[in-house]
Amino acid sequence: MNEQSSPQTVRPAAPPVRFDTKIAVLLREDLEPWQRLNVTAFLVSGLGTVLPEVIGEPYEDADQVPYLPMFRQPVLVFEGTKETLTAAHARTLSRALPRAVFTSDLFTTGNDHDNRAAVRSVRTAELDLVGLAVHGPRNAVDKVLKGARMHP
């Protein structure tokens, strides 16, 4: 097919975008692979509900089939020890950054109501965190994640 008869126009690649903000997920390093995926999915679902600016426009393929919008920027996934997660949580709170948490208790519940009740029943300092999602200015999120490493 020549360029004139092609149904799609290929555009040159845009230069990389450097976002002013960062979306990051920090997972406890001792999670099973299925738990890492589950926790990540749950955590990031909370960010888009209260931060509409992180959501891009809906997608559509060449046949005009619509798809849901997604985050407009990458989600970076990190891992760390229980202590790293606890410290990151404290730094997130001290900076008042938007956050979502996943505790070990949530692996034993079966619905949203019980999930919220499980978190509500534990004092902040005693949460057994296995995951944390945070959004904010790049430098603030970097400081929150001090001691964590990129997920392999």
Side-chain angles (χ1 to χ4, degrees), residues 8 26 46 52 67 82-83 90 95 137:
Q8 300 177 18
L26 175 57
Y67 301 96
K82 182 176 183 174
E83 294 76 21
R95 288 171 172 74

Side-chain angles (χ1 to χ4, degrees), residues 1-133:
M1 226 182 227
N2 66 35
E3 190 174 318
Q4 290 178 333
S5 62
S6 173
Q8 300 177 18
T9 303
V10 178
R11 295 186 181 118
V17 175
R18 185 155 166 91
F19 295 98
D20 293 335
T21 61
K22 184 180 274 189
I23 298 172
V25 173
L26 175 57
L27 302 171
R28 203 163 75 192
E29 64 185 1
D30 60 350
L31 295 179
E32 296 294 325
W34 73 267
Q35 291 173 317
R36 291 171 183 257
L37 296 170
N38 185 268
V39 170
T40 300
F42 268 92
L43 287 171
V44 298
S45 71
L47 294 177
T49 62
V50 296
L51 301 166
E53 66 273 15
V54 301
I55 303 297
E57 295 296 321
Y59 287 75
E60 182 177 276
D61 66 25
D63 294 320
Q64 298 180 338
V65 174
Y67 301 96
L68 295 172
M70 296 184 282
F71 289 128
R72 64 178 184 84
Q73 66 189 93
V75 175
L76 303 172
V77 181
F78 297 82
E79 69 175 6
T81 64
K82 182 176 183 174
E83 294 76 21
T84 300
L85 201 56
T86 300
H89 181 245
R91 289 191 289 266
T92 301
L93 296 175
S94 72
R95 288 171 172 74
L97 294 173
R99 69 227 162 241
V101 296
F102 198 104
T103 67
S104 63
D105 295 333
L106 302 186
F107 291 126
T108 64
T109 60
N111 62 71
D112 190 48
H113 179 267
D114 290 342
N115 286 351
R116 286 193 313 280
V119 174
R120 190 180 312 111
S121 71
V122 180
R123 298 187 58 82
T124 304
E126 297 166 4
L127 291 171
D128 185 17
L129 297 168
V130 299
L132 171 72

